[in-house]
Each structure stands twice: as structure tokens, then as C-alpha cells.
Amino acid sequence: MTNMALRPTDSSSRVSTVDGELAARAIAVLERNWLGHATVPSPALYPHQWSWDSACIAMGYARWNQERAQRELRSLFAGQWRNGLLPHIVFSDGGRYFPGPEFWQTGRSPDAPTAPETSGIVQPPVHATAVLEIVRHAPGREDALAFAAELQPKLVAWHDYLYRERDRLGDGLVEIWHPWESGMDNSPLWDAALARITPSADEIPDYERIDVQVADPLERPTNLEYDRYAFLVSRFRDCDYDPGRIRGMTPFAIRDVLFNSLLVQSSRDLAELSRLVGADGEPHEKRAAATAAAIDAQLWDPEHGMYVDRDLRAGEPVDALVGAGFAPLYAGVPDAERARLVVERLNEFSVRVDPSGGKVVPSVSVDEPSLDPVRYWRGPVWPIVNWIVCRGLRRYGYLVEAEEICTGLTELAAREGFWEHYNPLTGRGQGGERFAWTAGLVLALLADAE
Ligand code: 2M8
């Protein structure tokens, strides 16, 4: 089923031609990564299904292949736990990856499904937003309502889990317990928290990294970081993934700007989905408002004109400025005056890789001495962050700035292909190649621009 109207290639507008070709190339990437029930981010590096990747991929499919968009999310939610946790990985058969099911051992939790096998942590909640996009683009109202009715209770359980288990202070801000839960694995955001975690050699579990065998190790997190990632998982495993026990013992507990911003918008979208199927939307609206107010009150950094994470164990703000700090725009958090300050800061933070092209937002400011333009979340340009910023700018009416970011990202994809991330200084594609959520998000951006 092909619903997406690719722009005509015989149009007099060159832009339309480029967009049509780019969309076709994006679709080819998604086709290649489609397993028959779900889409892998990248066959060699990530041969399973990832939570927030899938939501972004489904937003790309929504405009082009409804059936596949729905199957993508159905497959992800098949891995949902009885307590509502939506795991960050749903494993498929085969596919070498560390940590695989044998390392997670999620069978220790009475809440984990036996099939499919999953990880035991979460990723940022962008799923209600994806479901609403699918519903909005469904070919018929009946089909749309049926999918909304199927997914709405699962989304409610997912959000209930987050607000029940991750909001220890009860003020609307939820916390993450592992760098992998942020989706920004080796961001400088986690440096201080990870430096405080000092397991002895015999506390670090045995493991073998696969990622550095299939990708350039210079573009991946370090072994020191992986030791801590593995150590944290082993501690959660020891708690049988009981959220109450983990909350009490985890040495890593952060209230992250990006995670909470996505939750605000997802809660609003869940309210809309709920009303669509005749359920009560108000509890989700209230949660969205509480989380938005808490982001604005607690995570705003007036000195830098952007939002910063808060480390609950250290009891202080996280001392790192990252591209994800602009995410509250996406969720409509600041008032117009504060949004103006954020946009001013964003204008300094974003870069023009090609002097005659658009702009993009790097994961870390290129002015930071610690910038590493190739190492994963420590500098490179990530499509998800740029999609979020672009939507945020549009939301506040900064249409010229939004267009610049949208153009900057699509130009990189057109020039380099659909890479996992891009060098903020040269634009070179890096990490995994023919990457699915890059393709999904570019499709979504092209469609939104129509
Ligand atoms: C990266 O994370 C995984 C662990 O979840 C890894 O490095 O092995 C991150 O970029 C994350 O945001 C993304 O969802 C995942 C799959 O693309 O890869």
C-alpha cells in the first residue's frame, strides 16, 4: 500500500525533484531494514528492534505505508511488560548484539514477557506521538479508530509506569536509571554521574563488545563507559528488575530534559487519542501540564539560556550543555519570552556545515573544548535532535529558523546518505550506514514541510 504522494519529478521546482528522490531513497533504506514484523535500526550494528527508533520509523511509515506503521508499533508493544514498562530493545531471532537476552536475563522479573525476549530498561517516550501521527494519516476513519483503540490502553500502561515508578518526588519529572535510557548513550551529560560509579574489577560482569567489531571504535563509547553500562545492568538484574528496589539503590538517577520533554508531548497526544476512543483525556493533560511546569521551574538555567538535566544523586544540575537542552521548545514548555532566549541561544549553538546550506544542531556545542566530532553523542549531529528542534521552532512560529534546520538535515542526508549521525564540522556520515530512523525522520520532515 503506497499512500505517500512523492513529489512529482517533472515539476519545474528543483526542490520538489530533490525531495521526491530523497524520499524514494529513504523508503529504500526502510525496505532494506524491514524484518517482516519490525524494522532494525541497522542490520549489522543493531539487528533487533529499538523502542524510540521504532516510534520515529513508524512516523516515517505513517505517510507511506500505514499497514507497516501499525505493524511496527504492534511488534514493539508485544514486548511490553505487565507493569507497563516498554523495553528499549525487543529482540528478534539471531543477530549478534551485546547485551543480548542472555545478559539481560529479564526472566528474573515476574513482569517480563517470556516471548518476545526484551531488555529491562526503557527509552524516551515518543510513542503516543507516533501513534497519533499514524491515526491522523490513516486512510479511513474506521481503521484509524481501531488502531487508536488497540494502542491506547497500552500507552496508558506505559505512561502509568513512568509516572508511578520514575517520579520519586511526585512533582511530574521522571528519572532515568541508565545512560541507555536517555538514548544519548555517551553524552557528556553522564560523565560526572558515571565518574562516581567505581565498581571493583570483580564487580564488572564478563562481557564481549560486538559494536566495536562492526563499527569504528573511535565512533563508539569507550570501554570504561561500557564497564559502567554493564555494571548498572548487572545491579538491576540483581534486583530482579523490581522498580522499587532499583529506585532505592541505583547510583544513576537523572531527571533528563529530553526524556521529560518528549513525555510532555506524548502525554498530550495520549489525551487526544483517549478522547478519540471515548476514554478520559484529562489525566494525561494534567500530567503533561505538571511535567511541563516542573521542567520550566526546575531545569531552566538562566545563565546559559537553555535547559539542563538534574542529577538526583548529586543533588545538583548537570554541568554540560547539549543540543537536547533545546527540547522544551518541542513540548511548548517556555513562555514566549523565555522561548525567545532559547532561540537566541540555539542560533549560536547550531552550525552551518555547508556555507551555502541550512543549519544543524550538534549533540554538543562545537565551541566546547571537549567536543569530539566523531564519537557518537559527544559532538555529532543526530537526526532525532534536529527533528525535535525543528518541530519546536515551528511550534513557536520561528518558521525561518525551523526551515533552516529542516533543510540542513535533509541536505546532509541527500549528500551523504542516511547515516546514524554526521560530523558537525564536515558533514561526513558516521556510525551505522543506511540507518532506519534517519530515513524515517527525513520522510517525516519532508512530509511535514509539504
Ligand atoms: C544507540 O544505543 C544502543 C543502546 O541502546 C547502543 O549503542 O548499542 C543510541 O543511539 C540509541 O539512542 C538508539 O536508540 C540505538 C539504536 O539506534 O543506538
Side-chain angles (χ1 to χ4, degrees):
M1 185 173 26
T2 303
N3 288 329
M4 182 169 173
L6 297 185
R7 291 186 174 187
T9 47
D10 58 353
S11 142
S12 54
S13 156
R14 203 187 81 76
V15 175
S16 299
T17 311
V18 171
D19 285 3
E21 282 165 7
L22 190 59
R25 282 165 60 198
I27 289 170
V29 168
L30 293 175
E31 288 288 10
R32 173 178 171 273
N33 293 2
W34 175 245
L35 287 179
H37 66 282
T39 313
V40 296
S42 160
L45 193 53
Y46 307 112
H48 304 284
Q49 186 176 23
W50 260 260
S51 170
W52 75 330
D53 295 54
S54 269
C56 297
I57 289 163
M59 286 192 266
Y61 281 143
R63 275 80 172 190
W64 155 57
N65 187 329
Q66 264 288 320
E67 190 206 341
R68 198 176 283 185
Q70 296 189 12
R71 283 176 77 185
E72 181 75 34
L73 290 187
R74 228 173 247 134
S75 157
L76 181 69
F77 276 91
Q80 185 169 30
W81 291 26
R82 273 177 285 274
N83 62 358
L85 177 149
L86 187 62
H88 98 298
I89 304 174
V90 175
F91 290 105
S92 311
D93 292 339
R96 287 179 77 229
Y97 177 77
F98 171 79
E102 63 298 332
F103 192 84
W104 288 99
Q105 300 168 18
T106 50
R108 293 174 183 227
S109 165
D111 289 321
T114 43
E117 292 181 301
T118 75
S119 69
I121 58 170
V122 301
Q123 268 190 333
V126 68
H127 311 86
T129 301
V131 171
L132 187 59
E133 294 255 320
I134 294 170
V135 166
R136 282 188 180 141
H137 289 89
R141 188 165 166 76
E142 211 175 297
D143 185 45
L145 286 181
F147 187 61
E150 178 189 340
L151 269 286
Q152 190 267 354
K154 300 176 199 290
L155 290 164
V156 170
W158 166 218
H159 284 217
D160 282 352
Y161 163 85
L162 289 172
Y163 282 102
R164 187 181 64 240
E165 307 296 353
R166 302 301 187 102
D167 176 11
R168 76 171 73 210
L169 304 178
D171 58 4
L173 283 181
V174 302
E175 65 194 65
I176 54 167
W177 293 334
H178 194 294
W180 284 335
E181 291 203 317
S182 72
M184 303 178 284
D185 306 5
N186 69 340
S187 168
L189 286 170
W190 326 128
D191 289 358
L194 291 182
R196 288 198 316 269
I197 301 175
T198 50
S200 59
D202 60 346
E203 283 178 312
I204 298 171
D206 284 339
Y207 69 93
E208 183 197 2
R209 287 182 70 170
I210 312 284
D211 60 320
V212 284
Q213 300 170 26
V214 291
D216 184 344
L218 287 178
E219 296 176 2
R220 298 291 305 169
T222 63
N223 287 338
L224 205 75
E225 284 159 334
Y226 257 80
D227 281 352
R228 275 142 192 81
Y229 301 161
F231 169 70
L232 282 171
V233 170
S234 73
R235 297 298 310 276
F236 301 164
R237 211 165 60 184
D238 293 345
C239 293
D240 296 336
Y241 296 101
D242 178 308
R245 289 172 66 192
I246 297 177
R247 195 165 52 245
M249 58 61 70
T250 179
F252 187 97
I254 305 239
R255 300 179 126 191
D256 173 50
V257 171
L258 177 67
F259 197 103
N260 279 282
S261 299
L262 290 174
L263 181 58
V264 170
Q265 189 53 40
S266 253
S267 294
R268 283 200 204 105
D269 293 336
L270 180 52
E272 188 169 337
L273 281 167
S274 298
R275 287 191 289 266
L276 208 62
V277 302
D280 188 4
E282 209 182 320
H284 310 295
E285 290 288 5
K286 280 192 173 150
R287 282 174 169 172
T291 304
I295 293 173
D296 212 30
Q298 299 182 42
L299 305 183
W300 171 247
D301 175 351
E303 190 194 330
H304 294 105
M306 60 195 292
Y307 292 83
V308 297
D309 284 12
R310 188 161 186 90
D311 185 326
L312 286 171
R313 290 299 183 214
E316 56 188 35
V318 173
D319 186 18
L321 302 175
V322 297
F326 299 105
L329 286 179
Y330 162 92
V333 167
D335 63 15
E337 174 50 19
R338 191 169 278 185
R340 191 185 59 74
L341 298 176
V342 176
V343 174
E344 253 175 48
R345 183 81 186 89
L346 175 63
N347 285 338
E348 297 159 12
F349 196 100
S350 49
V351 291
R352 211 177 291 284
V353 176
D354 175 348
S356 60
K359 290 179 95 179
V360 280
V361 184
S363 44
V364 170
S365 163
V366 294
D367 299 327
E368 280 284 319
S370 66
L371 172 89
D372 187 334
V374 303
R375 207 182 274 282
Y376 218 36
W377 286 91
R378 301 186 76 86
V381 174
W382 283 79
I384 178 71
V385 171
N386 284 268
W387 176 81
I388 287 169
V389 169
C390 184
R391 281 210 163 180
L393 288 166
R394 280 196 189 130
R395 173 174 212 136
Y396 283 86
Y398 290 95
L399 301 183
V400 174
E401 289 83 350
E403 188 52 30
E404 280 219 297
I405 303 289
C406 176
T407 306
L409 185 65
T410 49
E411 279 170 352
L412 282 182
R415 191 184 97 185
E416 298 285 316
F418 297 88
W419 287 84
E420 186 176 15
H421 49 83
Y422 300 88
N423 188 304
L425 306 176
T426 65
R428 184 179 74 97
Q430 304 174 150
E433 198 188 350
R434 286 180 282 180
F435 217 80
W437 69 343
T438 305
L441 289 168
V442 166
L443 274 180
L445 278 177
L446 292 178
D448 284 352
E450 276 174 353

